Amino acid sequence: MLPQKKCCFYRSTPRETMAWSQSVDTLLANKDGLAAFRAFLKSEFSEENIEFWLACEDFKKTTSSAKIASKAQKIYSDFIQADAPKEINIDYHTRNHISQSISEPSLSCFDDAQRLVYGLMAKDSFPRFLRSEEYKELVNKQQDGNQKRRLPFL
């Protein structure tokens, strides 16, 4: 269930909230959409996917070569290595390729894994999020609130 934060938590307009259903990219690009999706994944015990995706997005913005190595190692130990605390579901080939390149990481070393996780979220988690009661309630509450603002007598 999404956090019990009514009108003031999600500041997106009803139009923006409805737009989240257009694509995973639209959802992830919106701060409130990302927060709602993250809460949904947490409720399904699969938040490691969004956490990994976000860690990769942050990693790709790294400019210091010293930080590249330390951030890559952190992502690897948190998400990639066998029995990692937040181990993501990727195939052996991708995991093995990352394991072999982690000693000299590049900004693209997690790209294949990030693509796989994005695909899982887009094909599996995202449609479930859109069908969830939490998303439907959020859209309905915003529409109701928007209608009441325009029609103060309701």
Side-chain angles (χ1 to χ4, degrees):
M1 183 160 193
L2 291 177
Q4 289 297 328
K5 297 177 182 173
K6 307 267 185 216
C7 64
C8 301
F9 176 68
Y10 295 116
R11 299 194 186 281
S12 294
T13 65
R15 175 175 281 166
E16 289 172 324
T17 303
M18 294 291 291
W20 299 349
S21 66
Q22 293 172 0
S23 72
V24 178
D25 290 331
T26 304
L27 176 73
L28 297 177
N30 181 282
K31 189 172 118 178
D32 291 337
L34 176 60
F37 190 53
R38 194 173 196 170
F40 172 75
L41 291 175
K42 188 170 188 158
S43 76
E44 291 204 328
F45 304 100
S46 62
E47 70 266 29
E48 70 278 356
N49 290 332
I50 192 69
E51 289 180 19
F52 173 72
W53 186 85
L54 289 168
C56 290
E57 289 297 294
D58 177 64
F59 176 71
K60 289 189 276 190
K61 297 174 189 165
T62 307
T63 54
S64 159
S65 58
K67 284 188 178 180
I68 289 172
S70 64
K71 282 185 174 186
Q73 189 56 51
K74 174 102 173 98
I75 291 171
Y76 180 78
S77 61
D78 284 352
F79 301 101
I80 306 295
Q81 75 182 19
D83 299 321
K86 303 174 192 177
E87 187 175 356
I88 56 170
N89 185 11
I90 55 174
D91 62 90
Y92 170 81
H93 175 74
T94 304
R95 188 178 312 278
N96 194 41
H97 178 71
I98 294 170
S99 297
Q100 291 176 356
S101 66
I102 198 67
S103 59
E104 293 183 32
S106 68
L107 289 177
S108 62
C109 67
F110 298 110
D111 285 358
D112 290 343
Q114 188 182 20
R115 255 188 304 279
L116 289 171
V117 165
Y118 178 89
L120 285 172
M121 290 191 303
K123 291 178 185 157
D124 185 40
S125 305
F126 179 63
R128 279 199 323 276
F129 171 70
L130 296 178
R131 290 189 305 268
S132 72
E133 288 305 312
E134 292 88 349
Y135 178 67
K136 290 175 186 175
E137 280 180 31
L138 183 59
V139 169
N140 289 336
K141 282 179 186 175
Q142 284 192 330
Q143 287 175 337
D144 289 348
N146 195 39
Q147 187 175 30
K148 287 177 184 169
R149 281 191 293 274
R150 282 187 271 139
L151 304 171
F153 54 86
L154 289 178

Short mmCIF file of all heavy atoms in Angstrom, two decimals, residues 9-10 14 22 37 51 61 65 71 98 113 115 120 131 134 139 152 154:
data_model
loop_
_atom_site.label_atom_id
_atom_site.label_comp_id
_atom_site.label_asym_id
_atom_site.label_seq_id
_atom_site.Cartn_x
_atom_site.Cartn_y
_atom_site.Cartn_z
N PHE A 9 1.33 15.18 -0.22
CA PHE A 9 2.54 14.42 -0.51
C PHE A 9 2.84 14.42 -2.00
O PHE A 9 3.90 14.81 -2.42
CB PHE A 9 2.42 13.00 0.02
CG PHE A 9 3.61 12.15 -0.32
CD1 PHE A 9 4.83 12.40 0.24
CD2 PHE A 9 3.50 11.12 -1.23
CE1 PHE A 9 5.95 11.64 -0.08
CE2 PHE A 9 4.60 10.35 -1.55
CZ PHE A 9 5.82 10.61 -0.96
N TYR A 10 1.90 13.97 -2.77
CA TYR A 10 2.09 13.94 -4.21
C TYR A 10 1.61 15.26 -4.77
O TYR A 10 0.43 15.56 -4.78
CB TYR A 10 1.32 12.76 -4.83
CG TYR A 10 1.84 11.42 -4.37
CD1 TYR A 10 1.05 10.57 -3.63
CD2 TYR A 10 3.14 11.03 -4.67
CE1 TYR A 10 1.54 9.33 -3.20
CE2 TYR A 10 3.63 9.81 -4.24
CZ TYR A 10 2.83 8.97 -3.51
OH TYR A 10 3.31 7.77 -3.09
N PRO A 14 -3.39 16.14 -11.44
CA PRO A 14 -4.10 14.94 -11.92
C PRO A 14 -3.66 14.56 -13.34
O PRO A 14 -3.51 13.38 -13.65
CB PRO A 14 -5.57 15.37 -11.90
CG PRO A 14 -5.63 16.39 -10.80
CD PRO A 14 -4.32 17.13 -10.89
N GLN A 22 1.44 6.36 -19.30
CA GLN A 22 1.89 6.34 -20.69
C GLN A 22 3.13 5.47 -20.90
O GLN A 22 3.24 4.78 -21.89
CB GLN A 22 2.16 7.76 -21.19
CG GLN A 22 0.92 8.59 -21.29
CD GLN A 22 1.23 10.05 -21.60
OE1 GLN A 22 2.39 10.44 -21.75
NE2 GLN A 22 0.19 10.85 -21.71
N PHE A 37 5.86 4.63 -7.41
CA PHE A 37 6.28 3.35 -7.97
C PHE A 37 7.21 2.63 -6.99
O PHE A 37 7.10 1.42 -6.77
CB PHE A 37 6.97 3.57 -9.32
CG PHE A 37 7.24 2.33 -10.10
CD1 PHE A 37 6.24 1.41 -10.37
CD2 PHE A 37 8.51 2.08 -10.60
CE1 PHE A 37 6.50 0.25 -11.11
CE2 PHE A 37 8.78 0.94 -11.36
CZ PHE A 37 7.77 0.02 -11.60
N GLU A 51 15.88 0.39 -6.95
CA GLU A 51 17.09 0.86 -6.28
C GLU A 51 18.32 0.65 -7.16
O GLU A 51 19.18 1.52 -7.25
CB GLU A 51 17.26 0.18 -4.93
CG GLU A 51 16.25 0.65 -3.91
CD GLU A 51 16.40 -0.02 -2.56
OE1 GLU A 51 17.47 -0.59 -2.28
OE2 GLU A 51 15.44 0.04 -1.77
N LYS A 61 26.59 9.29 -13.88
CA LYS A 61 26.89 10.72 -13.78
C LYS A 61 28.21 10.99 -13.07
O LYS A 61 28.62 12.13 -12.92
CB LYS A 61 25.77 11.44 -13.03
CG LYS A 61 24.43 11.39 -13.73
CD LYS A 61 23.35 11.99 -12.85
CE LYS A 61 21.98 11.73 -13.46
NZ LYS A 61 20.91 11.96 -12.49
N SER A 65 37.39 9.38 -11.42
CA SER A 65 37.75 7.97 -11.65
C SER A 65 37.86 7.20 -10.33
O SER A 65 37.53 6.01 -10.28
CB SER A 65 39.04 7.86 -12.45
OG SER A 65 40.09 8.52 -11.79
N LYS A 71 32.08 3.44 -6.37
CA LYS A 71 30.64 3.30 -6.61
C LYS A 71 30.33 1.99 -7.32
O LYS A 71 29.33 1.33 -7.02
CB LYS A 71 30.11 4.48 -7.44
CG LYS A 71 29.91 5.75 -6.65
CD LYS A 71 29.27 6.81 -7.55
CE LYS A 71 28.90 8.05 -6.80
NZ LYS A 71 28.17 9.01 -7.64
N ILE A 98 29.84 -8.77 -15.73
CA ILE A 98 30.09 -7.69 -14.77
C ILE A 98 31.17 -8.12 -13.78
O ILE A 98 32.08 -7.33 -13.47
CB ILE A 98 28.79 -7.29 -14.03
CG1 ILE A 98 27.81 -6.67 -15.02
CG2 ILE A 98 29.10 -6.33 -12.89
CD1 ILE A 98 26.41 -6.47 -14.46
N ALA A 113 22.88 -5.02 -17.41
CA ALA A 113 22.06 -5.39 -16.26
C ALA A 113 20.95 -4.36 -16.04
O ALA A 113 19.81 -4.72 -15.74
CB ALA A 113 22.92 -5.52 -15.01
N ARG A 115 19.56 -2.52 -18.31
CA ARG A 115 18.55 -2.75 -19.36
C ARG A 115 17.63 -3.92 -19.01
O ARG A 115 16.42 -3.85 -19.21
CB ARG A 115 19.23 -3.01 -20.71
CG ARG A 115 19.17 -1.85 -21.69
CD ARG A 115 19.68 -2.23 -23.07
NE ARG A 115 21.02 -2.78 -23.10
CZ ARG A 115 22.13 -2.05 -23.07
NH1 ARG A 115 22.06 -0.75 -23.01
NH2 ARG A 115 23.30 -2.63 -23.11
N LEU A 120 12.35 -5.77 -16.98
CA LEU A 120 11.52 -6.47 -15.99
C LEU A 120 10.49 -5.51 -15.39
O LEU A 120 9.32 -5.86 -15.24
CB LEU A 120 12.38 -7.05 -14.87
CG LEU A 120 13.19 -8.29 -15.17
CD1 LEU A 120 14.13 -8.62 -14.02
CD2 LEU A 120 12.26 -9.47 -15.44
N ARG A 131 -2.45 -1.33 -12.50
CA ARG A 131 -3.68 -2.04 -12.12
C ARG A 131 -3.92 -2.02 -10.61
O ARG A 131 -4.98 -2.44 -10.15
CB ARG A 131 -3.61 -3.50 -12.59
CG ARG A 131 -3.71 -3.68 -14.08
CD ARG A 131 -3.86 -5.15 -14.45
NE ARG A 131 -2.83 -6.03 -13.93
CZ ARG A 131 -1.71 -6.35 -14.57
NH1 ARG A 131 -1.48 -5.88 -15.78
NH2 ARG A 131 -0.84 -7.17 -14.02
N GLU A 134 -3.73 1.06 -5.25
CA GLU A 134 -3.04 2.26 -4.80
C GLU A 134 -3.00 3.32 -5.90
O GLU A 134 -3.29 4.49 -5.65
CB GLU A 134 -1.61 1.93 -4.34
CG GLU A 134 -1.55 1.10 -3.08
CD GLU A 134 -1.58 -0.41 -3.34
OE1 GLU A 134 -1.86 -0.84 -4.49
OE2 GLU A 134 -1.35 -1.17 -2.40
N VAL A 139 -5.23 8.32 -8.36
CA VAL A 139 -5.84 9.03 -9.49
C VAL A 139 -7.24 9.52 -9.11
O VAL A 139 -7.58 10.68 -9.35
CB VAL A 139 -5.90 8.11 -10.74
CG1 VAL A 139 -6.76 8.73 -11.83
CG2 VAL A 139 -4.51 7.84 -11.26
N PRO A 152 -16.69 24.35 -5.67
CA PRO A 152 -16.56 24.43 -4.21
C PRO A 152 -17.79 23.95 -3.45
O PRO A 152 -17.72 23.65 -2.28
CB PRO A 152 -16.29 25.90 -3.95
CG PRO A 152 -16.64 26.62 -5.20
CD PRO A 152 -16.59 25.63 -6.33
N LEU A 154 -19.25 21.15 -3.80
CA LEU A 154 -19.26 19.69 -3.64
C LEU A 154 -18.61 19.29 -2.33
O LEU A 154 -17.75 19.87 -1.83
CB LEU A 154 -18.51 19.02 -4.80
CG LEU A 154 -19.22 19.07 -6.13
CD1 LEU A 154 -18.35 18.43 -7.21
CD2 LEU A 154 -20.55 18.36 -6.08
#
